[in-house]
Structure formats: structure tokens, C-alpha cells
């Protein structure tokens, strides 16, 4: 088993890849675009031959894939961990004192992963983020469980439909590791994503440390389902807006990102019998998004993703 | 306007003698501030808006027994001093902290009211600065409404604070002020407006008189008239009197001051009597302040065109939509030599712009600032620049201040020339505050903990608090997006001058193109320990330190393109070669990365929707709405004349728009469909989310 650790590094200065197209609905384009551009950047930076083109990624992108540098130049293998691209930890950390920042972390548990691994996945995700940002605490940790959404135009309907989505038992069983982080002061507030009124009230009744935030994607943010609004007010839960899709990294997308196609990184063979690159079954397990905002200036200094997948070679 | 010091002002010839003295002390004070504050760090984002009002006296048309009433139906109220006094003396209000600055209680957060140049004007600011907490953004509109209400509560029942940029009948023959004063006074010497139009505080008449004196004639504010189908052509301003002989300056019109096809105005009040919406930000440190100054500069003309609200002057429809050039001309103190009309003899330079004009230089130490963006012919006082550099200031910033210091101080108080006080900055501020550039870089004031600030000044005041809040919040958010995404909007500074001119054209928001940078994103920095990070272009290895972004190369002309306001605000369409992301999508992308609650996001969404629709033409600018109001008024004869009745009804509509908008013609085309505020009652849909005002049944009117 190999654990693939994909990273975007800081995407704030990554240019157009993270700019929302007008009218675009929720998407995973920010993740996939920024992974792709970080792979490309690492390939340019770590392969001397492409030095002259280091600052013109678009020109480089247009070229055909055969000129792509070998993965060994720009990725790192440490026992069973495979970093794509290589992470230079000496570059991690924030510019100012950790107390100046509001740090929000969101973990996406992906549908293919084993429920019993969630505890370990959560710890891995939090530790990677703490290491990357060089901090000891997180202000808000939001978890996104698979299979949840607000669908449709009528938000009343969406709220009702939401009550049957996901899996209450599995979600509640995943919560203690978060409570542990809270108990140790590593996380100051906990949050959920895409919980409608019914699911939320069931959840609140059964957990020891309650979530303080519910992050919802309603099509029109002025149209929050009234039962959810009411419950949130009553239980003092902040309703935040987000724009992510729940299944943020389907395995097909991941395979394409790493594959040998024109827009792929050339790390993974497209077919199981390919002759270059890794081969095997690819299972995306979790994605974590982190954002560090200078609190009293409203400036986003660092934002990025880690995505982890298991490869059965 | 800042605090108003009292003293004995010097008349022009005398003030001129002391100009070098003031500049000399001003530089010393600036250097003292610079040395004290250049290392100031980690200041929070604090910001404030300034809303300016005209005060009108408005009476619904009334006739008693068929006799027309003697009092005109709508006038400018000159009771500014009385109203400010009423605000100050309202003990109950003062007790909780809101009134004029002198009486403001510590830590109060009720609005503060200030006098302005025009005696018919008021300015109001929030009682304490706003932060970046999204809750603060929600309070802006409510606070603006509160300001309007407090102002109204301290006026007579028939007086109203309105937010029009200019009073459409200012200077129109007849009675346009309450009380009435005849024009042609000794200070302004205007044919059209009385001296009493200006705030009587000695600073203001002195400012006006000394500008006129220095210039050697009255200011000339000429606006092209709008040519309608019945407008006589060539058009001669029928209100100009060529036979007046009260003052030497009355010769001006006989010497060609009032050309054909232009509405002619001749006093500072026609410009400085305009209302603006200004936003000031505190930067983290001087570096961030300098960067914000540069990055906001190219946005100025775009926001000017987008907030267009000034289609009428002196009772005539103008062929321009915004106020900017009129203010510029109204305070233009340049002599014929400086203007290039006469050879240089007594003056030091030809000066291409008025002291009220768009910025002339960039000041950031950003490596992306290319030399080609700067004006090679920038006029600076070389001695001043040298002294600033000797004092430790870098060349770019020294050039900026040495450019401001090419002007003379206009208002000098004799008392202030006796002793130099380096703990104050009055002499520096004397020049700084009479250089009215579209972005202002403000050093920290002495004796306070306030940091380096940047003021965004080009926007026109909007008719409603909703719009004013929308544009204020937008500007705050775009500054956050600029800093977060490290955006780069640099264009050659001369392009900003051109864009400012373009912004004046009628309906520039829809029809004109502006030079704007195509790619605002930063260049990626290579990894320092990587193959490319440690190899310099010459091939020698260097220590692995974080390299600065490489200096941009390639022709500057390739960096920008002509774009319409819609493309700049909403992003390039797929058929455009520019691929510009759009300022609104940039702000939305910023918001996507922040924790914003649903209620706040809804309100910000309404603000962004207003701006998006103004930019794409689905909603009208105030200018277009006013123009349309005039042109569809039954009393309009298609001859460009905005008569008393039209003016009266227009002011009536502006008064109604906040409280009784359902009475106002075409308001939906201007502000969008009225819908209930969603946050109070979630069961009422607010798909458009455009107007936070319910539309009750007309019967309640």
C-alpha cells in the first residue's frame, strides 16, 4: 500500500485557477486546478531543462506531454508515503505570530474510504495542516461527510431531502476524535457541513461537544430553509456559506490529474498495465482545505489543500 | 474637511510671500512624521466612509386662492451653522456621544457631523471607524440611515438632507437659496452665486478669494451642454450677463470665459459644492499603504463612471455625467504662466493639472512597478525632493511629496507662522489637504495611534443609503481581494488620466472603453531550493533565499487593453481576447475563502448585484435616471432647460426615494425591483435581493 499525499501549496498567489467564473455553482475546480498548477510548477522548478520557461506556465502547458520531467525529480517517496509534489517544509509557516490568524480547516471524508479509518484520517489531516502552517491550534474545524447536499431550487424541499442523506450513525461515530482535539485545545470550535434542520437537531442530541458552525451551500444564500434558520438561532449555531462540492475528489478525477494524459502529471499509468509510473487501484480517502486569515485585516495569507489517496500496487 | 482652526488669514499677495516659509516648515514636519511612523507596523484594517449631503428646503406646490405662493417651492437651505448648532446642542444626543467633534464624548459611536465648503452642505461620518468583521459591513447601511435621520431631526420640517452630487439649480437666475442673497459679492465675485453660498468660517471665503487672486481671474467652470432636439445651436448660455461692471473680474466673460455650447460657471462653489462618497482605509504599515495607493489608482476612473450622478448644472442638462472636472476647474489656481498661456516669467513651472486632479505618480516599492508606468515629465520641486531624500526618504515617495509641494499654500494664518512645532503637522497638511488627488496617501496624524492611510476619493455620492453602502462595502472588499490575491492593476499613469476624461462622457458606463490591465495576477515564484530557484540567469549559483518575483518584461503596451466597464467589473466574455476575471468575481472569490454567515452574504450579494447590474446596463446610474426624469417630464421642452417645475419635482422624487419609493418614477430601473429584506423574514423570497425596502401598497401613501 502506498499513501499518495497531494498538495497545492499556497494557492492565494496562484492566479486564475482559484477565481470563480461568474455564475458558477459549487465545484471542485479550485482543488483540481490548483493541484494541477502546483504539479506543473514543481516540474518546472525541479527540472533544470525547463528553467527558461519557469515563468510562463501557459506556454509550457501547451506543449505535449512527452517532454514532461520524470516524477523522481519533483516528487518524494518516504517509506510508504509518496509526496506529489515534494513538500519543502522549510517553506512552511506564516508570516506573523500565530495569534494574529483565524485558521479554518475543513476535512472532506470521501465516499470510498473506510469509516473505521476516519479517526486516523482526521489526525493525519490536522497534523499536516498544523505542520504546513507552523501553528499549534486551529480556530474552526469543519467536517464534511459524504452524501450530503442541499439540492434543488426549493430550499424547503432541500432541507427535507437532507434529513435522509448521509448516515447518522457513522457520522456520530466519527465525532469523538474531533471532541478530543477540542478537549486538548487544538481546535477551538467544531463545525459541520451541509446539515439540514432535522439532521442537525438529531446530531446535537447525541454529541458531547456540540458543533458551533453549520456550513451550508444553498443556491441563493438569501433563501436559507426557514426551519434551519430557526434551529440555528435557537441553538446558537452560526450558518456559514460555502461553495465546495461534497465529493470533492472522485477517483476518476484523481486518476486524470496524476495520469499520463495531456493534462496529467505523468505519475500514474492510465491503465493498470502501463509501462511507466505507478500502477494499481487508486482510492481517494480524504481532502483537507486550510485557510489562514490575518484576523483584524481580513487578508487571506495562506490557503491550500492536501488530498490523500491509497494506491494498491 | 478637517478641523477648522481659527486665526487671521493672509490675503493673497501676503500669503504668497509666506509660501516658501510654509513649505519649508511643512517639509520639516513631514520628515518628523516620516521618521516617527515609517516603522509603524501591524495596524488593523480600520476604515471609514464620508457621506455628504445637500440641505434643501422643499415645499409641495401650494396655491392659496389662486395666488402663487411668494416663497419659491424648492431652495438650498443656508442654515448649515444653525443645523450644526442644533446637533451640537442636543444634549440628549451628546450624552450618548453623537454630535459635532468638539462635543463628542469619548468612545461614542453615534455619527459625527462636519461643516463643508458649501453653506448648504453637511458631512457625516460614523462615530467610530469600521473594522473588517463582516458584521461591521452590515452596519454600514443602517448607520448611513441613522445619519440621515439624525440630520433630518435637527432641521426644520421643510428641510431635507439629500444625497445628490450637485444642486441642479445652483447659480440659476432667480432665487435658489433660503434666505436669498444677491450674487456678485467681494469674495467670490461671481455673477451667479452670492458670497453667502460658502461656509462663513473664514477659511472658506479666504480659500475661494485666494484661489481667484492667485489665478488672476475668476475660475472658469465650463461644462458642455447636452444638445437635445430643440436646443438652439450654437448654444449661448442665456444666464451669462455680459454687462456687469461691479468687479474687474466681470471682464472675464467679455474676454471669452464663456464659450459657445458650454454651461458657464465662475465660482469655487460650483465645484466644492459637490457631494462625494469617500472611503479611507488604514493600512498595516507604510508598505501596504503605498501598495494600496498604487493599486486603487487605476480603479478610480472605473468607479467614477460607475457612480455617475451629475447630469445637470445651473439648470441645464450637461453632456457629461460626472462632477470631477468641474471641481477640478473650480479650484484651479494656476496662473496663465503655469497654464502655458504666457511664457514663464514669475512662475517656476508649467503645470499640466489642477490641484484637484487624478494622481500623477505611483509610490509603491512593489517590484512590479515598472519605470514605464511613471510620467517622465512629472513636475517636482527638486529642492524639496532632495531635502526629503537627505532626510532618509526614498526617491519614489520623495517625488510624490515634492510633486504636491509644487503648489502654493492658499490659506495661511498669521498666527501659525510664529513658531515651528514639530509635534504638529499643520504646515504639511496645509499643502497635503489642498492637493485633491483621486487617491490620497495620508501619513499618520501626530499625537494619535492612527496608522498610514489611503483615501479613495473619486466616487460620486449616490441618491440612496443602499447604494452608498453598496459602493463603500465593495471598495473595502476589493482592497481585501487585492491584498489577498496580490493583484496587480498597474497601467501607465497617463492612462489613468485618459480614463478619468473618458469617465465624464455621457453614459460612459455603457459606451466607453478604458485602458485596463488584462492580467492582474502575480507571477509565480519558483521554489527557492529547486533547480530554478538557485540558478540565476547567468548560471551561477546563489544562496537559497526566497527570490523576488522576476522583473516583468515585454512591452508595456501588451499589458493592458481597452475594456468597457462591464468587462472590467463582471469579467471578460468568452469572445473577448482579454480574459480579464472581473472585479466582482474577484471579490466573490475572496468571499468564498472567508467564513461569512448566510445573512451577511445575502446582504453583500445584494450590494454586488446592484453594482453588477449598473455595470452591465440592466440598472441605470443616477445620472441616467435623473436625465430620464427630466426628459420625460411633461414640463420639459427638449431644449436642455431644466426649469423650476422640473427641478422641484426632481428634488421631490429624491426626497421620496428613501421613504416612499413607490411614488418615484422608474425607480425599478434605477434600483431594481423592491423586495422585502430577506434577513428579517426568511419566508419572503428575495431572488434579486436588490433593495432592502418593502414596497407597501400605494394606498398607504
Amino acid at each position: 500500500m502506498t499513501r499518495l499525499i497531494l498538495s497545492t501549496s499556497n494557492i492565494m498567489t496562484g492566479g486564475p485557477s482559484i477565481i470563480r467564473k461568474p455564475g458558477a455553482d459549487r465545484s471542485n475546480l479550485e482543488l483540481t486546478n490548483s493541484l494541477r498548477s502546483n504539479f506543473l510548477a514543481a516540474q518546472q522548478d525541479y527540472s533544470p531543462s525547463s528553467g527558461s520557461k519557469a515563468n510562463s506556465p501557459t506556454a509550457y502547458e501547451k506543449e505535449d506531454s512527452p517532454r514532461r520531467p520524470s516524477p523522481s525529480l519533483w516528487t518524494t517517496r518516504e517509506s510508504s508515503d509518496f509526496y506529489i509534489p515534494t513538500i519543502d517544509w522549510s517553506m512552511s509557516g506564516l508570516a506573523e505570530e500565530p495569534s494574529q490568524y483565524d485558521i479554518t480547516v475543513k476535512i472532506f471524508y470521501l465516499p470510498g474510504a473506510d469509516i473505521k479509518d476516519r479517526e486516523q484520517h482526521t489526525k493525519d489531516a490536522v497534523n499536516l495542516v498544523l505542520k504546513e502552517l507552523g501553528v499549534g491550534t486551529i480556530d474552526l474545524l469543519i467536517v464534511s461527510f459524504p452524501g450530503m447536499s442541499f439540492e434543488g431550487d426549493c430550499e424547503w424541499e432541500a432541507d427535507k431531502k437532507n434529513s435522509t442523506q448521509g448516515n447518522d450513525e457513522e457520522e456520530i461515530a466519527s465525532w469523538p476524535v474531533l471532541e478530543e482535539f477540542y478537549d486538548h485545545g487544538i481546535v477551538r470550535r467544531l463545525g459541520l457541513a451541509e446539515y439540514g434542520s432535522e439532521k442537525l437537531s438529531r446530531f446535537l442530541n447525541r454529541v458531547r461537544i456540540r458543533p458551533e458552525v453549520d456550513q451550508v451551500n444553498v443556491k441563493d444564500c438569501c433563501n436559507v430553509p426557514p426551519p434551519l434558520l430557526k434551529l440555528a438561532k435557537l441553538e446558537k449555531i452560526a450558518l456559514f456559506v460555502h461553495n465546495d462540492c461534497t465529493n470533492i475528489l472522485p477517483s476518476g478525477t484523481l486518476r486524470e490529474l496524476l495520469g499520463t494524459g495531456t493534462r496529467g502529471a505523468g505519475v500514474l499509468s492510465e491503465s493498470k498495465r502501463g509501462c511507466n509510473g505507478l500502477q494499481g487501484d487508486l482510492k481517494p480517502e480524504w481532502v483537507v482545505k486550510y485557510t489562514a486569515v490575518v484576523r483584524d485585516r481580513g487578508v487571506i495569507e495562506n490557503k491550500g489543500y492536501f488530498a490523500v489517496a491509497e494506491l494498491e500496487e | 474637511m478637517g478641523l477648522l482652526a481659527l486665526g487671521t488669514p493672509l490675503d493673497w499677495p501676503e500669503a504668497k510671500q509666506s509660501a516658501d516659509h510654509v513649505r519649508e516648515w511643512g517639509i520639516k514636519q513631514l520628515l518628523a512624521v516620516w521618521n516617527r511612523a515609517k516603522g509603524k507596523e501591524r495596524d488593523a484594517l480600520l476604515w471609514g466612509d464620508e457621506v455628504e449631503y445637500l440641505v434643501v428646503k422643499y415645499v409641495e406646490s401650494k396655491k392659496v386662492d389662486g395666488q402663487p405662493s411668494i416663497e419659491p417651492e424648492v431652495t438650498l437651505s443656508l442654515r448649515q451653522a444653525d443645523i450644526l448648532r442644533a446637533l451640537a446642542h442636543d444634549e440628549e444626543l451628546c450624552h450618548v456621544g453623537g454630535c459635532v467633534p468638539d462635543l463628542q464624548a469619548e468612545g461614542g459611536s453615534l455619527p459625527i457631523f462636519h461643516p463643508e465648503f458649501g453653506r448648504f452642505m453637511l458631512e457625516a461620518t460614523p462615530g467610530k471607524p469600521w473594522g473588517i468583521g463582516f458584521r461591521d459591513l452590515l452596519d454600514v447601511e443602517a448607520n448611513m440611515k441613522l445619519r440621515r435621520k439624525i440630520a433630518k431631526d435637527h432641521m426644520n420640517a421643510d428641510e431635507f438632507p439629500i444625497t445628490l452630487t450637485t444642486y441642479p439649480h445652483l447659480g440659476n437666475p432667480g432665487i435658489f437659496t433660503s434666505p436669498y442673497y444677491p450674487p456678485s459679492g467681494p469674495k467670490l465675485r461671481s455673477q451667479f452665486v452670492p458670497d453667502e453660498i460658502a461656509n462663513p468660517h473664514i477659511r472658506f471665503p479666504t480659500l475661494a478669494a485666494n484661489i481667484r487672486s492667485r489665478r488672476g481671474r475668476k475660475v472658469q467652470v465650463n461644462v458642455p451642454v447636452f444638445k437635445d432636439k430643440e436646443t438652439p445651436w450654437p448654444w449661448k448660455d442665456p444666464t451669462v450677463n455680459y454687462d456687469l461692471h461691479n468687479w474687474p473680474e466681470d471682464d472675464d466673460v467679455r474676454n471669452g470665459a464663456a464659450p459657445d455650447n458650454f454651461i458657464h460657471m465662475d465660482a469655487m462653489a460650483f465645484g466644492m459644492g459637490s457631494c462625494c462618497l469617500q472611503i479611507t482605509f488604514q493600512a498595516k504599515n507604510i508598505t501596504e499603504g503605498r501598495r494600496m495607493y498604487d493599486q486603487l489608482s487605476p480603479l478610480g476612473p472605473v468607479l467614477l463612471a460607475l457612480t455617475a450622478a451629475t447630469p445637470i448644472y445651473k439648470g441645464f442638462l450637461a453632456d457629461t455625467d460626472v462632477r470631477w472636472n468641474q471641481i477640478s476647474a473650480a479650484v484651479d489656481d494656476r496662473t496663465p504662466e503655469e497654464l502655458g498661456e504666457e511664457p514663464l516669467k514669475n512662475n517656476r513651472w508649467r503645470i499640466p493639472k489642477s490641484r484637484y486632479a487624478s494622481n500623477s505618480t505611483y509610490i509603491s516599492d512593489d517590484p512590479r512597478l515598472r519605470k514605464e508606468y511613471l510620467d517622465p515629465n512629472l513636475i517636482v520641486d527638486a529642492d524639496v525632493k532632495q531635502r526629503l531624500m537627505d532626510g532618509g526618504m526614498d526617491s519614489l515617495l520623495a517625488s510624490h511629496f515634492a510633486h504636491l509641494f509644487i503648489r502654493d499654500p492658499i490659506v495661511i494664518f498669521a498666527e501659525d507662522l510664529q513658531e515651528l512645532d514639530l509635534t504638529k503637522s499643520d504646515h504639511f497638511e496645509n499643502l497635503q489637504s489642498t492637493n485633491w488627488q483621486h487617491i490620497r496617501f495620508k501619513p499618520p496624524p501626530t499625537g494619535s495611534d492612527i496608522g498610514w492611510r489611503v483615501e479613495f476619493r473619486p466616487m460620486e455620492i449616490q441618491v440612496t443609503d443602499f447604494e452608498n453602502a453598496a459602493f463603500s462595502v465593495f471598495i473595502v472588499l476589493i482592497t481585501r481581494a487585492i491584498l489577498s490575491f496580490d493583484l496587480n492593476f498597474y497601467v501607465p499613469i497617463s492612462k489613468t488620466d485618459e480614463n478619468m476624461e473618458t469617465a465624464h462622457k455621457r453614459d460612459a458606463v455603457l459606451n466607453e472603453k478604458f485602458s485596463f490591465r488584462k492580467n492582474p495576477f502575480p507571477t509565480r515564484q519558483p521554489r527557492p531550493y529547486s533547480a530554478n530557484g538557485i540558478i540565476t540567469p547567468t548560471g551561477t549559483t546563489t544562496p537559497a533565499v526566497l527570490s523576488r518575483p522576476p522583473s516583468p518584461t515585454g512591452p508595456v503596451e501588451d499589458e493592458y487593453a481597452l475594456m468597457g466597464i462591464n468587462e472590467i467589473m463582471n469579467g471578460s466574455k468568452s469572445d473577448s481576447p482579454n480574459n480579464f476575471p472581473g472585479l466582482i468575481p474577484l471579490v466573490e472569490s475572496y468571499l468564498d475563502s472567508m467564513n461569512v454567515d448566510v445573512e451577511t452574504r445575502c446582504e453583500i450579494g445584494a450590494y454586488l448585484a446592484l453594482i453588477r447590474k449598473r455595470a452591465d446596463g440592466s440598472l441605470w446610474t443616477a445620472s441616467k435616471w435623473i436625465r430620464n426624469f427630466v426628459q420625460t417630464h411633461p414640463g420639459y421642452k427638449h431644449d436642455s432647460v431644466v426649469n423650476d417645475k422640473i427641478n422641484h419635482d426632481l428634488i421631490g422624487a429624491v426626497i421620496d426615494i428613501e421613504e416612499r419609493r413607490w411614488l418615484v418614477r422608474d425607480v425599478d430601473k434605477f434600483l431594481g425591483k423592491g423586495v422585502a429584506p430577506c434577513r428579517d423574514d426568511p419566508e419572503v423570497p428575495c431572488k434579486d435581493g436588490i433593495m432592502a425596502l418593502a414596497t407597501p401598497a400605494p394606498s398607504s401613501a
Side-chain angles (χ1 to χ4, degrees), chain A residues 12-13 15-16 18-20 22 38 41-42 44-48 50-51 54-55 85 88 90-91 96-97 100 104 140 156 216 220-224 226 229 239-241 243 291 293 295-300 303, chain B residues 42-45 132 284 288 480 483-486 521-533 546 550 570 579 581 585-586 588-590 592-598 601-602 678 682-687:
Chain A
M12 287 313 291
T13 50
I18 68 162
I19 300 304
R20 170 142 64 120
N38 198 39
Q44 289 167 356
D45 289 349
Y46 290 113
S47 68
S50 61
N55 298 307
D88 181 355
S90 72
M91 295 299 295
E96 294 175 27
E97 301 292 307
Q100 303 279 319
T104 300
L140 173 62
W156 277 90
V216 290
D220 178 349
C221 60
C222 299
N223 246 346
V224 180
L229 213 51
L239 292 179
F240 285 174
V241 180
N243 215 39
T291 313
V293 175
R295 186 176 292 120
D296 60 5
R297 293 205 297 277
V299 175
I300 306 164
K303 175 178 175 180
Chain B
R42 283 199 194 170
D43 286 318
L45 167 68
I132 184 57
K284 161 190 173 183
E288 187 184 282
R480 298 307 97 185
L483 293 173
S484 295
F485 297 121
D486 199 17
F521 296 111
T523 324
R524 189 178 65 79
Q525 300 186 20
R527 287 161 170 77
Y529 293 96
S530 64
N532 294 306
L546 196 67
N570 293 321
N579 201 19
L586 284 167
E588 286 179 329
S589 301
Y590 166 77
D592 283 350
S593 296
M594 298 293 287
N595 291 327
V596 188
D597 65 88
V598 288
R601 191 65 184 77
C602 169
C678 35
E683 304 202 20
V684 179
C686 76
K687 287 279 184 235

Side-chain angles (χ1 to χ4, degrees), chain A residues 21-304:
Chain A
K21 286 275 176 269
D25 217 345
R26 81 197 102 162
S27 78
N28 61 353
L29 282 179
E30 179 177 278
L31 170 63
T32 52
N33 286 344
S34 52
L35 280 174
R36 191 173 284 126
S37 60
N38 198 39
F39 297 161
L40 202 64
Q43 290 171 355
Q44 289 167 356
D45 289 349
Y46 290 113
S47 68
S49 60
S50 61
S52 60
K53 295 172 193 134
N55 298 307
S56 53
T58 39
Y60 188 70
E61 202 174 11
K62 280 174 194 149
E63 290 182 21
D64 283 340
S65 43
R67 301 269 302 275
R68 191 189 286 139
S70 150
S72 61
L73 286 172
W74 61 278
T75 61
T76 301
R77 264 195 133 141
E78 277 168 19
S79 62
S80 64
D81 284 347
F82 188 18
Y83 290 92
I84 310 172
T86 299
I87 297 176
D88 181 355
W89 294 106
S90 72
M91 295 299 295
S92 63
L94 295 167
E96 294 175 27
E97 301 292 307
S99 62
Q100 303 279 319
Y101 294 88
D102 242 329
I103 294 169
T104 300
V105 174
K106 182 174 182 181
I107 299 175
F108 300 81
Y109 300 113
L110 299 178
D114 226 325
I115 312 296
K116 65 173 168 37
D117 293 335
R118 271 192 195 160
E119 182 179 339
Q120 191 55 47
H121 291 166
T122 310
K123 287 179 176 165
D124 291 350
V126 167
N127 287 332
L128 270 175
V129 170
L130 293 178
K131 190 173 176 190
E132 172 66 21
L133 297 180
V135 295
T137 52
I138 288 168
D139 295 278
L140 173 62
L141 177 61
I142 295 170
V143 291
S144 163
F145 294 112
M148 313 269 297
S149 67
F150 277 87
E151 291 294 349
D153 283 338
C154 173
E155 307 297 356
W156 277 90
E157 201 91 329
D159 192 42
K160 262 207 197 93
K161 202 169 156 195
N162 179 279
S163 70
T164 61
Q165 291 178 330
N167 180 325
D168 281 13
E169 296 309 318
E170 288 173 7
E171 289 150 18
I172 287 160
S174 312
W175 197 249
V177 62
L178 298 159
E179 292 174 325
E180 206 178 305
F181 278 125
Y182 178 91
D183 290 339
H184 288 119
I186 291 166
V187 172
R188 292 209 177 85
R189 289 199 295 170
L190 299 176
L192 295 165
E194 307 286 38
Y195 264 56
S197 58
E198 288 185 35
K199 267 190 84 90
L200 183 59
S201 72
R202 294 198 298 261
F203 193 86
L204 290 176
N205 284 332
R206 294 184 51 190
V207 295
R208 183 169 59 86
I209 307 296
R210 292 155 54 104
E212 294 175 60
V213 166
D214 185 11
Q215 203 190 37
V216 290
N217 179 293
V218 279
K219 221 171 178 183
D220 178 349
C221 60
C222 299
N223 246 346
V224 180
L228 180 58
L229 213 51
K230 206 172 145 193
L231 179 72
K233 203 172 231 173
L234 188 74
E235 301 286 354
K236 296 196 170 53
I237 288 172
L239 292 179
F240 285 174
V241 180
H242 75 90
N243 215 39
D244 313 307
C245 51
T246 309
N247 188 9
I248 194 164
L249 192 61
S251 62
T253 307
L254 180 60
R255 196 164 269 285
E256 193 196 335
L257 272 170
L258 298 178
T260 47
T262 347
R263 307 194 65 206
V267 175
L268 189 76
S269 294
E270 299 278 338
S271 76
K272 286 181 191 171
R273 262 180 281 159
C275 54
N276 48 15
L278 299 167
Q279 300 160 38
D281 279 329
L282 194 59
K283 189 171 69 175
E285 296 193 307
W286 52 268
V287 169
V288 65
K289 172 164 82 168
Y290 54 91
T291 313
V293 175
V294 186
R295 186 176 292 120
D296 60 5
R297 293 205 297 277
V299 175
I300 306 164
E301 183 181 302
N302 199 328
K303 175 178 175 180

Side-chain angles (χ1 to χ4, degrees), chain B residues 313-354:
Chain B
Y313 275 99
K314 220 179 61 171
F316 302 103
L317 282 177
D319 205 34
T320 56
D321 263 2
V322 300
R323 76 197 190 288
W324 188 266
N325 280 350
Q326 283 65 261
I327 309 182
S328 182
V331 293
D332 190 352
D333 69 341
R334 287 174 298 169
T335 64
E337 291 179 26
E338 287 168 340
L339 286 164
E341 294 170 0
E342 291 172 11
L344 282 175
K345 219 168 71 195
N346 300 311
N347 292 121
R348 293 185 286 178
W349 303 284
R350 293 233 164 117
I351 302 179
K353 292 194 237 176
S354 164

